[in-house]
Amino acid sequence: MPRRIDAIDMSILRELQSDGRITNVELSQRVGISAPPCLRRVRTLEEEGIIKGYRALLDEKQLGFELMAFAMVHLVSQAETDLNAFAEQVERWPLVRDCWMLSGETDFILLCVAPDLRSFQNFVHELTGAPNVRNVKTALSLKQTKDAPVVPMEGSAP
């Protein structure tokens, strides 16, 4: 059972989600504790896996990835070994940005980025030919209306 996260830890998490490059001194001032215990708390949150890591958020369009699309994948078999094999294959496709295994009619949904439609079509051709893939439905993104790569902290579980 995960440990209970107190109000100070929640404040630390909220601040780090907002600014992962904040210094420990600034973080400690914002959450109202001195720097050494703040650093200990951050390290504990990291060691426990609550903080999974730090990264820069890149603008895919400015890097030449103009197309964003979803691919809904239905497999022939949903045996555990087949699901795992497909998930491992997804790790080798660089155009797949995110992947979720789903319940229901669709087994996996992939969020893909590509420089252009031709590149995405080539990927879909490869995807549909992958072992155990029954069919693939795709949807091109017209516009992203929300981009919130954070865990909601307001009103979240204590």
Side-chain angles (χ1 to χ4, degrees), residues 18-78:
S18 175
D19 181 3
R21 296 181 64 177
I22 189 172
T23 66
N24 183 59
V25 171
E26 177 68 21
L27 178 61
S28 68
Q29 291 171 352
R30 289 188 190 178
V31 300
I33 60 175
S34 64
C38 184
L39 184 57
R40 279 193 299 276
R41 283 175 174 262
V42 170
R43 286 191 176 142
T44 298
L45 291 165
E46 291 169 346
E47 289 165 3
E48 292 176 345
I50 295 168
I51 296 174
K52 296 190 320 185
Y54 302 88
R55 65 176 70 163
L57 300 174
L58 307 180
D59 185 324
E60 61 274 343
K61 287 190 181 356
Q62 290 198 38
L63 294 170
F65 293 92
E66 293 293 326
L67 184 138
M68 185 175 287
F70 296 90
M72 288 70 70
V73 181
H74 185 197
L75 300 179
V76 173
S77 166
Q78 289 75 32

Side-chain angles (χ1 to χ4, degrees), residues 75-146:
L75 300 179
V76 173
S77 166
Q78 289 75 32
E80 191 71 23
T81 55
D82 293 322
L83 294 170
N84 290 338
F86 183 78
E88 288 172 14
Q89 174 61 46
V90 167
E91 291 293 327
R92 294 188 288 276
W93 284 321
L95 294 185
V96 177
R97 189 164 141 188
D98 292 307
C99 175
W100 297 271
M101 185 185 302
L102 305 175
S103 63
E105 188 176 315
T106 300
D107 296 308
F108 288 88
I109 188 166
L110 313 178
L111 172 59
C112 307
V113 294
D116 52 40
L117 186 57
R118 171 66 71 204
S119 299
F120 182 65
Q121 288 171 321
N122 292 340
F123 167 70
V124 171
H125 181 72
E126 181 180 353
L127 175 60
T128 56
N132 196 34
V133 172
R134 175 173 287 158
N135 65 45
V136 176
K137 295 179 182 176
T138 62
L140 299 179
S141 170
L142 300 176
K143 177 180 176 184
Q144 185 175 26
T145 58
K146 183 175 181 179

